[in-house]
Amino acid sequence: MACRVINKRQHVGLQQLSLFAETGRTFLGPVKSSKFVTGGDCHESVLISSTVRLLESLDLTSTVGQLLYEAVQAQNNTYRTGTSTLLFLVGAWSRAAEECLHLGVPIPVIAAVMSEGLDSCREEVAFLQVPVHNVFDCVHNSRTISGLETPHVGSCPFLQAPSGAGGIPKEHDFKHAASQLLTVYSLSGRPVKLPEFFNLPVKVEAGKEASQGLKSSVHTDTCSRKSVLTHSRHFNRTNNSLWISKQDGFLEQYSAATPKTYRCCDLVELAVGLSHGDLGTMKLVEAAVQLQYHKACVQQGNCTVPFMFDVSRVFTCCLPGLPETLSCVCSGYVTVVPIASITLIEGLENQPLRVVLIEGDLVESYHHLGFNESTNIKTVLDSVELQGDSSEELWTNYVLQVLTQFNVNLILVQGNVSEPLTEKCGHNKRLVVGSVGSSVMQAFAEAVGAVPVTYVSQVNADCVGSGVSVTFWRTPLEVVGRSSGMPILLKTEGINLITAVLTHSVPAQMQAKEDRFWTCAYRLHYALEDEKVFLGGGAVEFLCLSHLQILAEQSLSKGDHPSLGWLPNTSCWLASSLPAYRPTVLKCLAGGWHRYLSALMCNSATCPSELAARTFIEHHVQNATASGSPSAYILNEYSKLNSGIFNAGFSDKLEQVPRVYDIVTPKMEAWRRALDLVLLVLKTDSEVITGLGHAQMNSQEVGGLLFL
C-alpha cells in the first residue's frame, strides 16, 4: 500500500486522521491480520491484533492523534467492540470531507449535510433489525454446526417474549414461528415477497411519499407481536391491545397471554451469528452464559424469571505458556499465586476458610484518599528492645496479631500487598491475595457475609466471612514448568462469580485472545440487552450506501431537496446553499461506505483485489436502486446467503454458513463517534486558520469568506 504524504497546503488535520486510520485497515472484518510494531529506540517488537492495542503502541503526540486515541478508548471502555469500524470510518469520512473541500463546498454545509445524512442512515437501518426472540424461534439448521453444541440446563425462559399461545415450544419445532410472508410494495406498485425469517418492517424509499416520512407498516402474527410506525400519518389503529412506545419509532403490541419461554440451547443460533468466525472464543462465552443462568435458576429455585448476561460478574485469568485446550470457564475466582505457595495451598485445601476483605493497599504506608497526615509529631521510643525493629516490622507483627485474634486464613486485598507481610502470613498458614477486582470483592462479600474494610485496625468479628474454599485449578504437575505462577480456585457456595481461564502456548498471543473474549462477551451482552440485532455481513453498511445514493439522485433530479426542514434554525445563506451542495456531500459520504465495504471484502478474501470488490459492490448498488426498495433487495439477498451479500465466495457451501448478526447500540455509537471526530477536526482547524468562531461561521455576514 502506497504511503500518503501530508500536503501542508491542504487540510492537515483531516490528512492526519486518514493516515492514522490507514494503519488499522487490516483489523476490519472477521479475518484480521496481525501487525508487528517495532520501537524506534530499543527496536523491540510487539505483536498487535486489535485497533486499541495498535493505538496504544503508536506515538500519538499530535493533537489529532490524541483526539483519535480518546475516541477509540471511549468506544472500547464502554462497549469493548466497534473500534475497528470507528477507526476505518474516521479515515473514510476524513477523505470524504477533503473531497468536499476540494470541490469548494463550505465547511458549515459539509458538517450539516454529513450529520443529517448519517442521521438518515441511522433511521433507515432500523428496518434491518431482527428481534432476538425471532433469532431464537428460527433455529433451523444452526444446531448442527460442529463445535457449538452446548448442553442445555433444562427448559427455561432465557428471554421472555410475547406470545399469543401459552406453553413451551418443542426443542426443534421452531419452523412455524414465522409462517406469515411479508409483503413490501416497490415504486412500481408490484408486491415484493420476502422470506419467512425476516419478520421486520421495510421502508418504502420512493417518490414524494418517502420524503414526507411515509413508511410501510408490516403487521405480523408471530408471537402476537406487531411492528408499526408511529411517525406516519397514513395509518390508523383501532384495536385495544396494549401498545408500548419505543425510542426507535415503533410500537410494540403485547397480548395478555402467557409469555413464551425458550430453552437455554436456543442461544446457539445467536452466539454463532455474533461470533464473526471466532467460534472457539464464543463457545467460552456461551459456556459462561449457561453457567450464569444455571446459578440464577438455583438461587431463584425455579426457571421462570427473565435472565440477562451480566458481564460485570465475569472475569478472565490469563495463563500464557499452557496449551489452548486447557481454556475453560469456572464458577468462582481463579487467580495466580507464586509457585512457592504450593505447600501453603495444600495445607489449606479441604477446609473452610475465614476471610477478610481489604479495600485499598495492604502496606504500612497506605492511607485512604483524602487523608491528611498530621505534622510536627515525633514518636519517641523509650524501650531499647524496640529500637532495632523498623516501623514496617512493627506494623507486620500487628497485622498478624489481628489475623490470629479472629482466626483469619484468607486475606483478599483490592490493591498491592506488602511482600514481607505476604511471606510472614505464608509461614503462619495464611494466604494473602492482592490485586483483586472490586466486583470480586463485592461477590465474596455477598456470598460469605464479609464486610470490606480499609485498614486492618478496623477488622472485628462482624467483618470476617467464612465458608471459602481454596484448591488448585489444575494439579501442580500440569502447570509447574509451563507457567510462571500457580493458578488456584477460590469459591464458596452461592457466589455469583465466573472466571474464564484463557490459555495459550504462545505468550505473545495471550493479550489478543483476552481481547477477543471480551469482544464476544460484550457482543452477546448487548444483543441480549437491546433484544435486537442487525443483519450482518455488510448488509447494514450496504443499505446506508444505497440510501445515500438515492437521496443524492433525488436532490439532483429535483434541484431542491424536500428535507430543508433538517436545519430549521439556520441562516438564510446556509439554507440557500444546501440544495446546491447536498448531492455532492451525500455522494462523498456514501463513498466512505463504499470504501468500508471494499476493505471488508478484501480482508475476508472474498474478492481478489480492491477493484474487483468495488465492481461487485457497484453491481449490487445498481440492482438495489433499480428494485425501488433497497431494504427488500437486501433481505432477499440475505435469504440466499446467510452470511450476507458480501460473502459470495462461500456460495458453494451455503449449508455450512451460519447467519451473521451485528449488535445495534455499539455499531451506532461507533458511527456517531467517527463522524463527530471528523467534524470536530474539520471545524477546529478551519476556525484556527480563519480566526472565525463558531457563531461567526454560521452568520450571514461571513458567507463569502467560507467559500475560500
Side-chain angles (χ1 to χ4, degrees):
M1 184 177 297
C3 181
R4 188 184 178 193
V5 180
I6 293 180
N7 187 346
K8 297 292 184 179
R9 301 181 62 183
Q10 298 176 2
H11 200 292
V12 176
L14 294 179
Q15 293 180 76
Q16 289 178 338
L17 282 180
S18 298
L19 285 173
F20 286 136
E22 197 66 28
T23 60
R25 181 186 180 93
T26 58
F27 298 143
L28 189 66
V31 183
K32 296 176 174 59
S33 300
S34 300
K35 292 177 178 290
F36 277 103
V37 178
T38 305
D41 298 331
C42 57
H43 300 289
E44 293 182 353
S45 296
V46 178
L47 185 63
I48 301 297
S49 301
S50 69
T51 297
V52 176
R53 304 303 171 191
L54 174 66
L55 295 184
E56 288 177 348
S57 303
L58 296 180
D59 185 17
L60 303 176
T61 55
S62 66
T63 303
V64 173
Q66 285 295 315
L67 289 174
L68 176 62
Y69 177 76
E70 290 175 6
V72 171
Q73 282 293 336
Q75 177 75 17
N76 182 68
N77 293 339
T78 305
Y79 301 108
R80 295 293 186 102
T81 183
T83 54
S84 297
T85 295
L86 190 157
L87 182 64
F88 189 91
L89 289 179
V90 163
W93 287 336
S94 294
R95 290 193 176 187
E98 285 186 81
E99 293 173 6
C100 293
L101 289 174
H102 296 163
L103 295 173
V105 182
I107 291 177
V109 174
I110 296 174
V113 178
M114 277 192 164
S115 296
E116 300 304 330
L118 182 61
D119 289 343
S120 182
C121 288
R122 288 163 63 97
E123 293 178 4
E124 186 69 17
V125 298
F127 302 99
L128 292 185
Q129 293 176 3
V130 181
V132 167
H133 71 82
N134 279 20
V135 179
F136 290 162
D137 282 346
C138 301
V139 177
H140 296 300
N141 296 324
S142 294
R143 296 184 186 276
T144 61
I145 297 173
S146 59
L148 272 163
E149 285 287 351
T150 56
H152 56 79
V153 193
S155 177
C156 54
F158 190 78
L159 278 178
Q160 284 190 339
S163 172
I168 301 174
K170 295 180 180 179
E171 182 174 0
H172 298 286
D173 188 18
F174 295 97
K175 293 186 178 180
H176 300 292
S179 60
Q180 183 174 356
L181 289 174
L182 309 184
T183 303
V184 179
Y185 289 90
S186 64
L187 285 181
S188 61
R190 297 190 303 270
V192 180
K193 290 292 184 180
L194 301 181
E196 294 180 357
F197 171 71
F198 301 108
N199 178 17
L200 12 136
V202 180
K203 183 177 178 180
V204 177
E205 289 251 20
K208 183 177 181 180
E209 291 178 334
S211 65
Q212 293 175 345
L214 174 63
K215 315 280 194 304
S216 63
S217 60
V218 180
H219 300 267
T220 63
D221 292 331
T222 302
C223 301
S224 296
R225 176 171 179 160
K226 296 182 180 180
S227 295
V228 299
L229 293 168
T230 62
H231 46 277
S232 175
R233 58 185 176 86
H234 298 280
F235 69 91
N236 294 312
R237 299 189 302 272
T238 57
N239 56 29
N240 295 320
S241 301
L242 173 63
W243 295 84
I244 301 176
S245 178
K246 297 183 70 179
Q247 293 180 353
D248 55 8
F250 289 88
L251 290 178
E252 300 289 351
Q253 184 186 25
Y254 294 89
S255 67
T258 304
K260 176 179 285 188
T261 55
Y262 297 97
R263 297 174 66 86
C264 292
C265 54
D266 295 338
L267 181 66
V268 175
E269 170 79 3
L270 182 63
V272 173
L274 293 173
S275 68
H276 294 185
D278 195 357
L279 298 179
T281 302
M282 185 57 82
K283 185 177 180 180
L284 285 174
V285 175
E286 188 186 352
V289 175
Q290 299 280 356
L291 185 56
Q292 194 174 84
Y293 182 80
H294 179 64
K295 284 176 170 289
C297 289
V298 171
Q299 291 178 357
Q300 295 290 334
N302 57 68
C303 291
T304 60
V305 293
F307 171 75
M308 296 296 292
F309 182 31
D310 185 5
V311 290
S312 67
R313 292 305 177 99
V314 178
F315 300 88
T316 55
C317 178
C318 296
L319 301 176
L322 299 180
E324 288 189 81
T325 54
L326 294 180
S327 295
C328 65
V329 173
C330 302
S331 175
Y333 180 57
V334 178
T335 187
V336 178
V337 297
I339 297 293
S341 302
I342 292 179
T343 304
L344 172 62
I345 302 301
E346 291 175 343
L348 295 176
E349 275 189 306
N350 302 321
Q351 59 175 301
L353 305 180
R354 290 172 58 82
V355 59
V356 164
L357 308 178
I358 305 292
E359 297 177 324
D361 298 337
L362 188 57
V363 294
E364 188 268 338
S365 60
Y366 175 75
H367 295 292
H368 62 274
L369 188 64
F371 174 81
N372 294 321
E373 187 174 2
S374 301
T375 58
N376 299 325
I377 295 180
K378 294 182 180 180
T379 301
V380 179
L381 298 178
D382 296 331
S383 175
V384 179
E385 297 179 357
L386 295 177
Q387 290 181 358
D389 296 334
S390 65
S391 60
E392 174 81 12
E393 293 175 342
L394 292 173
W395 175 81
T396 300
N397 293 333
Y398 170 74
V399 172
L400 282 174
Q401 181 182 356
V402 173
L403 298 178
T404 303
Q405 177 183 354
F406 296 102
N407 194 24
V408 175
N409 314 97
L410 175 64
I411 307 96
L412 299 182
V413 185
Q414 191 170 343
N416 299 320
V417 181
S418 168
E419 291 186 7
L421 176 63
T422 303
E423 293 178 1
K424 282 198 172 185
C425 285
H427 296 325
N428 288 269
K429 295 192 176 186
R430 288 172 171 77
L431 176 63
V432 182
V433 179
S435 301
V436 180
S438 58
S439 297
V440 177
M441 302 276 284
Q442 181 181 353
F444 274 100
E446 294 171 355
V448 301
V451 179
V453 295
T454 305
Y455 303 101
V456 174
S457 58
Q458 297 173 321
V459 175
N460 55 47
D462 297 329
C463 298
V464 181
S466 60
V468 181
S469 64
V470 59
T471 184
F472 293 109
W473 172 72
R474 287 286 188 272
T475 62
L477 293 177
E478 295 179 89
V479 177
V480 175
R482 295 181 176 182
S483 178
S484 58
M486 186 67 214
I488 61 172
L489 173 62
L490 299 172
K491 61 181 180 179
T492 186
E493 184 179 356
I495 189 169
N496 183 17
L497 196 64
I498 295 172
T499 303
V501 183
L502 307 178
T503 60
H504 204 292
S505 56
V506 181
Q509 292 281 2
M510 196 70 258
Q511 183 66 66
K513 183 168 185 176
E514 184 180 18
D515 291 341
R516 293 199 309 271
F517 174 85
W518 286 118
T519 296
C520 289
Y522 273 83
R523 280 196 199 127
L524 195 55
H525 166 72
Y526 280 107
L528 297 175
E529 184 178 82
D530 294 340
E531 297 188 23
K532 56 189 175 183
V533 289
F534 277 134
L535 299 182
V540 176
E541 292 78 11
F542 178 76
L543 180 57
C544 291
L545 171 59
S546 304
H547 177 63
L548 290 175
Q549 291 205 355
I550 289 176
L551 291 181
E553 291 173 2
Q554 289 177 350
S555 299
L556 285 173
S557 61
K558 296 179 180 180
D560 186 7
H561 199 273
S563 55
L564 285 176
W566 281 354
L567 300 166
N569 299 321
T570 55
S571 58
C572 295
W573 78 264
L574 181 56
S576 61
S577 301
L578 286 174
Y581 292 106
R582 177 175 283 111
T584 300
V585 179
L586 290 177
K587 285 184 177 180
C588 291
L589 186 64
W593 290 121
H594 210 303
R595 296 187 187 98
Y596 180 94
L597 293 172
S598 177
L600 193 66
M601 295 187 68
C602 291
N603 289 352
S604 58
T606 55
C607 276
S609 65
E610 186 171 354
L611 177 61
R614 297 184 72 87
T615 303
F616 179 84
I617 295 167
E618 194 60 37
H619 168 73
H620 278 286
V621 169
Q622 293 175 0
N623 292 344
T625 305
S627 70
S629 178
S631 301
Y633 177 83
I634 291 173
L635 295 180
N636 278 313
E637 290 295 320
Y638 199 93
S639 67
K640 302 173 187 176
L641 298 171
N642 287 335
S643 54
I645 299 173
F646 304 101
N647 283 325
F650 301 105
S651 59
D652 56 337
K653 301 178 181 179
L654 291 182
E655 70 281 356
Q656 300 180 18
V657 180
R659 287 194 172 94
V660 179
Y661 303 107
D662 278 329
I663 42 182
V664 176
T665 302
K667 181 180 282 287
M668 295 292 96
E669 281 300 297
W671 294 2
R672 182 192 61 80
R673 282 192 169 102
L675 187 61
D676 285 351
L677 177 59
V678 171
L679 297 183
L680 174 63
V681 173
L682 173 66
K683 292 179 179 180
T684 303
D685 277 13
S686 64
E687 291 176 9
V688 171
I689 294 170
T690 62
L692 302 174
H694 180 71
Q696 284 182 292
M697 295 185 67
N698 285 328
S699 65
Q700 300 180 34
E701 290 78 4
V702 297
L705 294 175
L706 293 171
F707 286 84
L708 296 177

